[in-house]
Each structure stands twice: as structure tokens, then as C-alpha cells.
Amino acid sequence: MPLLEAVRLALSQLRVQKLKSFFTLLGVTISVMFLIAVVSIVEGMSKYVEQDFAGKFLGVNVFNLRKNPDIATDVTEAEWRAWQRRPRITIEDAEAVRLALPADARWAMHDITWANASSHYQPGGPQVLAQAVTADFFAIKDLVIERGRLFGEQEDAVGAPVVVIGTEIAERYFPNLDPLGRELRINRFPFRVIGVLEKQGTVFGLSLDRQVIAPFHSQMSRLTHARNNLYGVVVQAPSPQAFNGLQEIVREVMRKRHRLRPAQPDDFSLESSASALGQWMTIKKYMVLAGIVLPAIGLVVGAIVIMNIMLVAVAERTREIGIRKSLGARRRDIVAQFLVESATLSAIGAIIGVGLGIGLSQLVAALSPLPAAVAPWSIVVAVAIGGGVGILAGAYPASRAARLDPIIALRAD
């Protein structure tokens, strides 16, 4: 029997026996729906982490020298205690790194804390992310100014009391006013606003528009206690090819300063988007695996339902099978007819499940903070699995139909 003719017969059975077809499709549809929804949410989270987090928070071709990594999963208590015993990163360490870097590499000191802010127009509000940085920090992090200007190396060198603020700070502390040139107090220190950053949104719930950035050598470093423990040194390579070389330069400088022997591990962290995302990729792999395995249990149930319903169909269509055999249909024609029928029904269930899964993922994204992005490969896999389940489930019923004796089949009512 030609394939298209077999598919046409399968679709006619779908129209004639609607209730039975509905139960045939149900298991596959639900399983595929959850497969698509889970994978879409995982893919959405992956894009969020890789683009928003890595791009905004870490930067491109950037690594951070820190005492401890900012992002870590599956950390044992022993590892955590070992991190606490590490020596602090100091300003002297940062200067030693700067001297060792080639001229085409960017470098910035970075210290950070949460602080209280106030202005003549707003006496207080939620805490702000206060940062003390050297001038190249803006270029490294690709921070773009919306109004005003950034501070330069000379202002940093003299410790000018100037500050660049996020849009949320501008709206809260200078309502319906131009904040440029006005005073903003961070704890007890007054700063003059010289620039407002473009809106950046949030990363993992942290608003990047609620930040204030001042020169490192200003009073901001006293507020962040940079002299006691520097948050980190930010280094940007001029190209991806130079990235690993710069990391090794910084590692060599720090190992020498900390007097580490060759057999001793690093007592500092060089954190990049690759190292941070490496842990996320491990988590993502397990989440995708769970998103495939759990619906697979439903597919097994769906396959059993399909097999039972196809067995019933064989019993109901015994006379039809006998007539076809008496007219010259071979065993393989009967097998092909029932296999294509079960595969078609299962594939239709998978296609419906794909549509419902996309809708479910978009609904979850609209009603919760979880992002969603449909992965094209998951659609292909879902439809292929649907068809495969139909073939496997229909194999035994098709075999039984092909083995029917045509004379006995013709006698059936």
C-alpha cells in the first residue's frame, strides 16, 4: 500500500472514531506538551544566563581576580572554609597586576558595597549598589551613558567627589528634575552627579539601574573599605585569542605575590564568563535530561494505550483484513497499514503536544519570572519521538493483523 494511501486511511479512522482516537493521542500529547514546556523554560533560562548575566554582569573577554568566586555550585563545607582562609586581594595586588599586563589590555580596580543614599529632594529609600572603580571600568563593562558624561583618569587620580548613577537612582532621588550637577549623598559622603547610565534592567533580580559609580580614589573607597579587602580586579583581553595568555600572566603574578609553591593550588579566583557558565551548563544538562526522562514515562504509558487500542482496532476490522488478503494484499501490506496508522495517530498527538507545550511555556513566562525560548531541536525530537512511539506500539497489533487467516477473517461478523 502506498504511504500516502496508508496515511489517508489513518486520518479517516481518526475522523470516524473520534473518542477512541482521542484516547490514543492523549498520552503522547500530554508527554510531548511537558517535554516542550520544560525544554523551552530551560532554554529561556540558558539564554538569560548566557546573554544577560554573562554580557551585563561579567562582560566580554573579561575575567575577575577575586578572593572567592562569585558564582559557585556544589561547594562543600570544606571548600567554603578553605576559601575563607584565603588572603585578601589588596590594592597592591591590583597595582602589581597592572604593571604585568601588556599595553593593549584593560584593567580596573573594583570595590562594591550596599549603602544608603539621599538627596535634598528625597531623604532616603532602598539601599543602592555603591561602587568605587578606576576609569577603564566603564569601557570594560560596556556601560553607556544616557545623559552627562563619565569620569576620567584624572578625576580618579585626584579623588574627585563625582558620581555616575543608574536611571532608577535618577528617578527616585531627583523626581521630575535633571540630576546632572546636583548633590547625591552616599551614607555621609556628598557626590556631584555628572552622568546617568542607560537603562540596563535586572540580572537575577538585582536591578542594575540602582547603582552609583564613583572614582576609586574618592571617598567612595573609604565607604567600601577597599583598603582592607578589595572586591576584585577586572581585566579585559583585547581579543579572545589573548584571553588565556592574560589569565596566565595574572595567575603568575598572584602566585608569586602569595609565595605559592608549584604543587600548591591557587589561593585566589580568576572568574570569567566561561568558568561561571561552565557550572550553569552542568545544571542545564541535568535539567534538560530531567525534562526528557520524566515525559518519557508518560510516553511509555501512551505507547501501552496505543497498543491496546490498536489491538481493539485489529479485532474490530478482522473482516476488512480478510477482504484485503483475499484481494491479494501481502502480509507486509497489512503490517505497513497498521504501522502507518499508529505512527500517524501518534505523530498527530505529538504535533498537538508541541503546540500546547509552546503555549504552556509562554503562559509560564507571562505569569512568572521564568523566561522561555522554544528550542527548534526539541520540536524535531518531539515529533520524531511521537512517530517512533506509534511504530513501536503498533508493531505487535500489526503483526497480529498480518497473521490472520483470510478464510477465518472473512467469516468474522
Side-chain angles (χ1 to χ4, degrees):
M1 175 184 291
L3 178 62
L4 292 178
E5 180 64 19
V7 171
R8 189 189 65 78
L9 282 174
L11 294 176
S12 66
Q13 288 296 319
L14 184 66
R15 288 192 299 270
V16 171
Q17 299 178 330
K18 296 181 177 64
L19 184 60
K20 187 166 68 176
S21 299
F22 170 75
F23 286 110
T24 307
L25 304 179
L26 189 60
V28 175
T29 299
I30 292 175
S31 299
V32 169
M33 177 182 70
F34 282 108
L35 168 65
I36 295 294
V38 171
V39 171
S40 296
I41 291 171
V42 172
E43 282 294 313
M45 291 176 65
S46 180
K47 286 187 177 181
Y48 179 80
V49 170
E50 293 170 15
Q51 295 175 9
D52 288 8
F53 177 74
K56 293 180 180 178
F57 197 72
L58 293 173
V60 179
N61 297 331
V62 173
F63 65 90
N64 301 312
L65 167 63
R66 295 200 176 114
K67 176 183 174 181
N68 305 323
D70 261 358
I71 306 164
T73 56
D74 298 327
V75 179
T76 64
E77 185 177 350
E79 287 175 319
W80 178 255
R81 291 182 182 278
W83 287 354
Q84 300 309 303
R85 293 193 296 269
R86 286 179 172 183
R88 297 169 177 174
I89 303 298
T90 65
I91 294 175
E92 290 72 24
D93 291 333
E95 292 292 347
V97 167
R98 180 180 65 83
L99 293 173
L101 291 174
D104 57 354
R106 288 194 176 115
W107 162 96
M109 285 191 287
H110 181 208
D111 207 31
I112 189 170
T113 191
W114 287 98
N116 297 313
S118 62
S119 70
H120 294 301
Y121 318 96
Q122 178 59 258
Q127 286 195 315
V128 302
L129 194 64
Q131 302 182 75
V133 305
T134 48
D136 269 352
F137 181 83
F138 296 101
I140 293 172
K141 296 295 186 179
D142 195 25
L143 296 175
V144 180
I145 207 77
E146 181 185 84
R147 285 177 284 168
R149 63 179 181 83
L150 304 172
F151 57 80
E153 292 183 4
Q154 186 174 359
E155 286 173 303
D156 176 40
V158 300
V162 295
V163 70
V164 176
I165 63 176
T167 55
E168 189 175 331
I169 302 295
E171 292 167 2
R172 173 174 290 276
Y173 293 97
F174 305 98
N176 301 317
L177 294 169
D178 184 356
L180 299 181
R182 301 181 188 274
E183 182 183 282
L184 179 70
R185 298 185 75 88
I186 308 299
N187 284 5
R188 66 182 186 275
F189 300 116
F191 292 88
R192 179 170 55 88
V193 177
I194 61 169
V196 179
L197 296 170
E198 281 188 349
K199 189 172 182 62
Q200 298 177 75
T202 61
V203 173
F204 290 127
L206 172 65
S207 174
L208 299 181
D209 299 312
R210 198 192 299 171
Q211 62 177 319
V212 295
I213 307 174
F216 185 84
H217 294 96
S218 68
Q219 297 286 1
M220 186 68 81
S221 61
R222 288 183 58 191
L223 190 152
T224 63
H225 305 290
R227 283 285 170 188
N228 299 327
N229 185 17
L230 191 62
Y231 178 63
V233 182
V234 189
V235 180
Q236 184 178 45
S239 65
Q241 293 75 23
F243 186 84
N244 290 334
L246 284 187
Q247 276 197 322
E248 290 309 310
I249 289 173
V250 175
R251 177 174 282 111
E252 183 179 350
V253 169
M254 292 304 299
R255 289 184 65 85
K256 188 179 295 183
R257 288 186 60 81
H258 289 182
R259 296 182 175 86
L260 295 175
R261 294 188 295 274
Q264 290 179 292
D266 294 342
D267 58 359
F268 52 87
S269 173
L270 295 179
E271 189 173 46
S272 65
S273 58
S275 63
L277 294 178
Q279 299 188 35
W280 160 250
M281 295 307 291
T282 302
I283 297 171
K284 176 186 174 182
K285 179 177 68 176
Y286 288 118
M287 291 176 70
V288 170
L289 185 62
I292 293 174
V293 170
L294 293 179
I297 298 172
L299 285 173
V300 172
V301 176
I304 294 172
V305 172
I306 291 172
M307 183 177 68
N308 287 330
I309 290 178
M310 290 303 298
L311 285 171
V312 172
V314 169
E316 290 177 345
R317 295 160 63 186
T318 302
R319 186 174 181 81
E320 174 195 329
I321 295 168
I323 293 172
R324 290 198 63 208
K325 280 194 167 186
S326 65
L327 294 175
R330 295 164 295 183
R331 279 193 172 190
R332 65 182 183 184
D333 295 325
I334 304 297
V335 169
Q337 176 188 349
F338 282 93
L339 281 181
V340 170
E341 185 172 320
S342 62
T344 300
L345 293 173
S346 185
I348 290 173
I351 292 170
I352 296 172
V354 167
L356 293 176
I358 293 172
L360 179 60
S361 65
Q362 296 302 314
L363 180 64
V364 170
L367 299 179
S368 74
L370 294 174
V374 179
W377 65 264
S378 66
I379 296 176
V380 176
V381 168
V383 175
I385 288 175
V389 165
I391 292 172
L392 291 175
Y396 177 63
S399 175
R400 282 195 59 175
R403 290 199 303 268
L404 284 175
D405 186 286
I407 296 175
I408 296 174
L410 284 170
R411 289 176 180 170
D413 293 333

